[in-house]
Each structure stands twice: as structure tokens, then as C-alpha cells.
Amino acid sequence: MRRTFSGHGASRGNALGRARIRLPHALEVSEEHIRADAVEAELERLHEAIAQVRGELRGLRERLHGALAHEVGEFLDLHALLLDDPELLQGLDELIRKGRYSADYALRLHRDRLAGVFEGMDNAYFRSRIEDLDHVVGRLHAALHSHEAELQGVAGEILVTDNVAPSELAQLQSQGVLAVITAGGSMLSHSAILARSLHLPLVVGAPEALQQINDGDVVAVDGAGGQVVVEPNAADLRAYRGRVREERRERKQLHRLRREPTRTLDGVDIRLYANAESREDVAESHALGAAGIGLYRTEFLFLQREGLPDEEEQFRAYRDAVLGMTGRMVTIRTLDLGADKSDRSGLTLPREPNPAMGCRGVRLSLAREEVFVSQLRAILRASGYGPLRILVPMVTERAEILAVAGLIKRIARDLRSGGHEIAEHVPLGAMIEVPAAAIALSSFIGAVDFISVGTNDLTQYLLAADRNNEALGELYHPLHPAMMRLLRNVIRTAKARRKPVAVCGEMAGDPAFTPLLLALGLEEFSLHPGTLLEVRRAIRALDLGRLRAQAPALLRARDRAGIEKWLASA
Ligand code: PEP
Ligand code: MG
């Protein structure tokens, strides 16, 4: 019989397939005791399971590359840390040794105990970490029973589950799963962000899914509207086919835009650069006709390994990016470790009281000059192979830029006298992501050749809303009147001084925000290659003159609703 319900459409796309219900995260274990002489064997069983899960997490980490490594890696690291937590390990040992519980029951008891502690915390971020605890416990439980902890997907099926971790999502897509429906989860979760960049339809926050869908039912999913139809009838199938046709038409249309200019209706050319962090990203950006690489995140070289990469390894990566873009500009951002991007090499400071406001980005680079020098040497050497410029993250004041410029000058001299061929002039730019730098831009813009606005961090610092704290929900959002005014002023200041200005945060890659950025005067975007064609299409349908004339109304908006209203009529 036909049933229908809805959740939140977290990642658009349509799918029709048989449902497979998987609930690996639930831990239903009844009380179970063991004999005294079985304690040692039980402990050994537990420790083997822990070692296996450690290996699994490491293996997953190594299989990730490109943007996935960046987005999913942080979660895997967090889960690996939990697994090393003495509180967790000792507690389990004690329950088995003293309580003579089975490893399974000890795991459940201890999970509930820790979850109770997390739940009692004032800090919503810690409360929300129960989800991470459950992912780790779920894996351990699976390892104890030698079955797969990963949500296993089957090609052509739609997975229905309680919740999905970012690492699982990446895996499910490669297994050919058509769509995912989860009872829990939110639109702002990292899984949701990742599903959007993977183009995998995802409906979250649909508790009815677990009651309404049975294993093997046929299900139609609309990832945009969050609608789910179980056992669809003829009219549903017709509607589904209509949506798929529309989707296909859109994809084809987008594909044709690969070789088209990014030109507004009134004939103004806008430059679309790509954000990249791997050779694959560079190749994709080139194929899509990106104007160049506007943000090459160098952290991935440092995050996927134990020690620090040496100058040679870095040089090869940067040189390959330059060669891959065949003469188009490549913007290498210097290391932006720290805050939520900590490495395993010990470069970042352990346990800073407030890491997002701590020693990250250029602050860390200047504090660890030997590491910074080896990176700058590698970048400057790559400049001998094609157009390249250097972008410095987390700039707060003029002195930082001057210090970097001084180092570059000295290193360039050393390299030339060492016989290296490097570019005559390597432009130096600052990321504008600290509000102080945005507000006082005119005080140091003379010291840089270009700027790029990091709206991801600028939003979090301007609104004092942690970009990784899901508990803050909608508070972390760029559509705030303060953000509109700041962006307008930054773009205006840069243009007045004839310095190129781009936006390279996620905002630039969302076609819903394109009219707004154009209205504020932006002419250079740097965005994930996955959304480049959509933004190009949006730009080609917009009249720049008309948008600019509407900018005062945008700046008068008093809240997010007002800005959204402006966007709806733009
Ligand atoms: C930003 O902050 O907007 C940005 C592009 O840098 P990241 O997301 O790497 O911090
Ligand atoms: Mg940033």
C-alpha cells in the first residue's frame, strides 16, 4: 500500500529503488556475565577488536583523497582519538575484570555511562559528541562479532538508517547506493554538506522512515523536497520520471557550459577560479574551464601523514598543480593548520584553550619559521613552471604580511643564487577572514597584490559562531546584514586600490548567493569544481547592471529574512 512522509531535503537528486534497512548503530545487548577463568580471554577479545577498529580507521583515512580527505578526515581523527581515550579503555577493562561482564555488555554499560556524562554537560558541542561516541562504539561492537562496521550499501538500493557518518557516506556512494534516508541528522551536519558535494540524494530528520519502510519496499526519494513515497502508484512513478527527465536535461545543459564564457546578460566577464587540494581537483578544474586555481589548500599534504612533508615533496605537489593548469594562474595558500585542522606531526599546539582563536594559519607559520621556509621555498621553486601566486591565511595585521614578504624576498634571493629558476615576481595576497583585517583593509592593502575573502571563517569570527558547532544551528550563516556591509566595504576598498578581490569561501560556490555577490561588486569567485558550472549558469542568466542598482536595497535588509527576500526577487 502506498505511504508517504517527508523529512528535510539535505541533498538534492531523485532516486527510485528497493529499500534496505540498516541499523548498525543501535547497541541492543542484554546483561551477560562471564566466568572468572574467562576474563583474560574476554579482555584479549576486546583488545583485538580495538586494534582492528584502529586499523579500519587508519585504512579509511588512507583511502581518502582530495576534498574528502579534508572533510571526512577530521571525523576519522576524532574517532581515532576517542579510541585512544584512557577513560574509555580503562573503564571497559574494569567492567570486564571486576564486574565480569561480557565485552559486549561492558561496551554498552560504558557507552551509556559516558553518554550520560556528555548529556549532562552545559556545552552543546560536547553534548552533540554522543554521535561520535556511538560511531566508535558501533564499530567496536561490530569488530567483536567480526562483522562489518561500515554501513554496507548495495548498488541500486536506497539505504534507510538511523544516522550516517561522513566516512560512511563516501563509501556508500562508491558502492553504488542511490540515495540515503536517515531518521536523525540535520541539514547542517557535515554528512549533509558532504552528500551535497558528492551529489548523493539525502533526506535527513525523517523518523517515520524506520516505521513506514520495510526491507525490500520500493521507495521514491526526492532529495530536494525531502519527500519519500513508499510503494509508489502510477501517478507517483509519472511524477518521478518527470523529475528525473528534468534533472537529466539540467545536467546536459550544464555540461554544455564547460566551454562557454562566464558572461553576464549585459556582457560582463566574471572570473571563476577553482578551489583545489589534489591533482584530481586540478584536472577537473581545468576540464571545466576554470580561470585558474583561486585557492590551493596545502593542508592535505600535512594532514594525511605522520611526519612533515619535506621541501621536495611539497615542491612536486605545487609544481604539478601549476603544470596541470597549463598557464592559468594557480594560487597556493600557505599552510592553514590549527583550529579544527590539527595534524599528527605535532606542528599544531596541543590543547589550546580556544583553538579557533589560537595559533593557526599565518600565526603558526611565523611561529615555526623552519617549516614555513621549507614551504615557501617549495612554492617559489614551483613558480618557475608557470603563473603562481601566494595566498596567506588568517591575516590579522599588516606586520604579518610584511614578515611574510620579507621572508619571501630573502628566500627568493637564496634560491636564485643557488641556481634555481623562479618567477621574477610572485604576487602575494592575504585572505580576508578575520574581521579586523576586513575592517582595516585600507591599512595594509598597499602591502599585498591581491586579496581573497574567506567567508567561511569570516562568518564565524564576525558572528562569534563556531563553524563546526552544529548546536548553534542557523546562527552560523553568512546572510547577516553585518556580513553584507563588510563584504561590500572590502570589495569596494580593493577595487578603489585596483587590487584583484575574490571570494573563496563556500558562499562563492552556492548559486543561490551568486546574485548577492555580484550586486556587492564581486567579479572573481573561487569555488569547489563540483559547483562551478552551476554558478556559471547562474551568472549567465543575470544582469549585472540591474543587480548593482539593487545593491542599496540589499544593504538596507535588516535581517536574514530580508536578505532572502531580496534574493528571491533578484
Ligand atoms: C574560508 O575560511 O572561507 C576558507 C576558504 O578557508 P578554509 O575553509 O580552508 O578555512
Ligand atoms: Mg579559512
Side-chain angles (χ1 to χ4, degrees):
M1 206 191 53
R2 175 184 187 269
R3 293 160 323 262
T4 171
F5 62 90
S6 56
H8 303 296
S11 172
R12 69 198 167 103
N14 287 281
L16 177 72
R18 280 162 56 96
R20 181 166 295 260
I21 312 228
R22 281 278 180 271
L23 289 173
H25 305 111
L27 196 61
E28 298 302 336
V29 186
S30 47
E31 185 162 345
E32 219 178 355
H33 286 275
I34 50 170
R35 290 199 325 264
D37 61 3
V39 165
E40 287 311 317
E42 196 65 0
L43 281 170
E44 195 175 315
R45 197 164 82 87
L46 174 71
H47 291 163
E48 271 170 14
I50 292 172
Q52 181 185 323
V53 173
R54 268 201 201 107
E56 281 171 16
L57 291 176
R58 210 176 311 118
L60 270 173
R61 191 74 161 97
E62 277 155 16
R63 288 209 298 279
L64 297 171
H65 58 80
L68 286 186
H70 184 56
E71 299 185 49
V72 179
E74 286 166 21
F75 292 89
L76 293 178
D77 288 345
L78 183 69
H79 294 175
L81 274 180
L82 264 174
L83 213 52
D84 286 332
D85 185 48
E87 180 86 15
L88 180 75
L89 302 181
Q90 278 165 21
L92 285 173
D93 278 9
E94 229 159 74
L95 282 167
I96 295 175
R97 221 181 272 284
K98 296 194 184 141
R100 290 220 213 117
Y101 291 115
S102 68
D104 296 82
Y105 193 62
L107 197 58
R108 167 158 173 212
L109 276 181
H110 204 47
R111 178 259 165 220
D112 291 348
R113 218 183 259 173
L114 290 175
V117 176
F118 280 139
E119 259 157 20
M121 286 184 177
D122 280 346
N123 185 318
Y125 176 73
F126 286 120
R127 281 202 303 275
S128 69
R129 289 309 89 188
I130 294 178
E131 226 177 273
D132 294 299
L133 176 68
D134 281 344
H135 285 310
V136 173
V137 167
R139 276 183 184 280
L140 276 176
H141 186 246
L144 280 170
H145 295 275
S146 335
H147 58 68
E148 295 274 0
E150 290 287 302
L151 274 171
Q152 289 299 309
V154 175
E157 291 194 335
I158 291 170
L159 195 87
V160 183
T161 183
D162 53 352
N163 234 321
V164 66
S167 56
E168 292 170 328
L169 212 49
Q171 186 109 329
L172 289 172
Q173 201 213 25
S174 65
Q175 286 163 345
V177 163
L178 298 177
V180 178
I181 306 170
T182 67
S186 85
M187 308 255 301
L188 290 172
S189 72
H190 286 89
S191 292
I193 295 171
L194 186 64
R196 291 194 280 275
S197 83
L198 292 171
H199 300 293
L200 179 69
L202 172 69
V203 174
V204 300
E208 279 176 87
L210 296 175
Q211 290 128 32
Q212 304 273 11
I213 306 177
N214 303 307
D215 234 6
D217 281 349
V218 172
V219 175
V221 180
D222 172 5
Q227 288 293 331
V228 179
V229 183
V230 190
E231 298 297 343
N233 60 24
D236 295 321
L237 289 176
R238 213 172 310 126
Y240 165 78
R241 276 205 307 276
R243 288 198 305 272
V244 170
R245 262 198 307 273
E246 180 58 27
E247 216 176 70
R248 223 175 271 146
R249 204 177 55 81
E250 197 191 324
R251 259 206 308 270
K252 249 198 206 149
Q253 226 184 27
L254 272 179
H255 197 71
R256 272 192 234 119
L257 289 181
R258 284 184 320 154
R259 306 208 190 294
E260 296 298 325
T262 312
R263 188 168 296 149
T264 62
L265 280 179
D266 46 345
V268 181
D269 282 322
I270 303 295
R271 278 173 300 287
L272 292 188
Y273 291 87
N275 293 351
E277 47 190 81
S278 66
R279 214 182 291 173
E280 292 84 355
D281 290 345
V282 170
E284 189 183 352
S285 309
H286 189 274
L288 295 174
I293 300 294
L295 171 69
Y296 187 90
R297 287 186 167 101
T298 57
E299 295 84 64
F300 84 99
L301 274 170
F302 289 71
L303 288 172
Q304 288 175 355
R305 50 181 305 128
E306 295 291 341
L308 293 171
D310 62 15
E311 179 187 321
E312 203 52 35
E313 183 179 344
Q314 291 189 67
F315 159 67
R316 282 196 299 271
Y318 308 149
R319 178 204 60 194
D320 289 352
V322 170
L323 291 174
M325 288 309 285
T326 61
R328 299 178 217 174
M329 180 58 83
V330 172
T331 313
I332 307 277
R333 178 173 75 179
T334 60
L335 198 53
D336 188 22
L337 284 182
D340 53 337
K341 289 179 260 182
S342 56
D343 66 334
R344 277 175 287 169
S345 62
L347 193 58
T348 49
L349 302 182
R351 286 199 213 95
E352 283 186 281
N354 193 346
M357 298 206 180
C359 195
R360 63 170 290 199
V362 70
R363 305 168 185 184
L364 183 68
S365 291
L366 289 172
R368 293 294 304 271
E369 202 177 291
E370 74 291 0
V371 179
F372 198 25
V373 166
S374 98
Q375 178 170 47
L376 289 174
R377 280 180 62 92
I379 299 175
L380 287 174
R381 283 173 57 195
S383 77
Y385 293 79
L388 173 152
R389 50 184 197 175
I390 297 176
L391 180 60
V392 184
M394 279 297 286
V395 172
T396 312
E397 54 183 27
R398 182 179 156 82
E400 290 162 335
I401 278 293
L402 296 182
V404 177
L407 270 175
I408 291 177
K409 209 166 153 194
R410 195 188 83 205
I411 295 168
R413 207 183 310 121
D414 289 351
L415 284 170
R416 284 199 186 97
S417 60
H420 288 282
E421 170 62 27
I422 63 172
E424 203 133 306
H425 175 64
V426 176
L428 177 64
M431 280 197 70
I432 303 301
E433 46 190 349
V434 175
I439 294 165
L441 181 61
S442 57
S443 68
F444 70 84
I445 195 157
V448 293
D449 299 298
F450 69 99
I451 59 166
S452 190
V453 187
T455 45
N456 304 340
D457 277 315
L458 188 57
T459 304
Q460 85 163 339
Y461 295 125
L462 187 62
L463 306 184
D466 184 345
R467 65 192 265 189
N468 293 309
N469 186 345
E470 281 164 32
L472 292 176
E474 298 276 292
L475 189 60
Y476 172 82
H477 200 285
L479 296 191
H480 188 287
M483 191 68 178
M484 299 304 105
R485 292 170 208 187
L486 201 55
L487 281 173
R488 193 268 313 255
N489 290 346
V490 165
I491 295 167
R492 208 186 244 180
T493 306
K495 284 187 159 180
R497 301 290 293 269
R498 299 190 186 288
K499 302 280 166 115
V501 47
V503 166
C504 64
E506 292 301 299
M507 236 188 140
D510 188 338
F513 299 148
T514 308
L516 177 156
L517 293 171
L518 289 176
L520 295 175
L522 195 73
E523 285 167 39
E524 285 185 16
F525 294 59
S526 190
L527 60 165
H528 191 278
T531 56
L532 193 139
L533 294 180
E534 283 175 58
V535 172
R536 179 175 291 158
R537 180 178 58 188
I539 290 173
R540 289 166 59 89
L542 290 165
D543 185 311
L544 191 62
R546 219 190 93 226
L547 284 172
R548 297 257 164 97
Q550 289 170 351
L554 170 62
L555 291 159
R556 277 197 304 273
R558 288 185 298 189
D559 51 21
R560 179 164 158 198
I563 299 170
E564 279 169 347
K565 202 163 144 210
W566 183 94
L567 275 171
S569 66

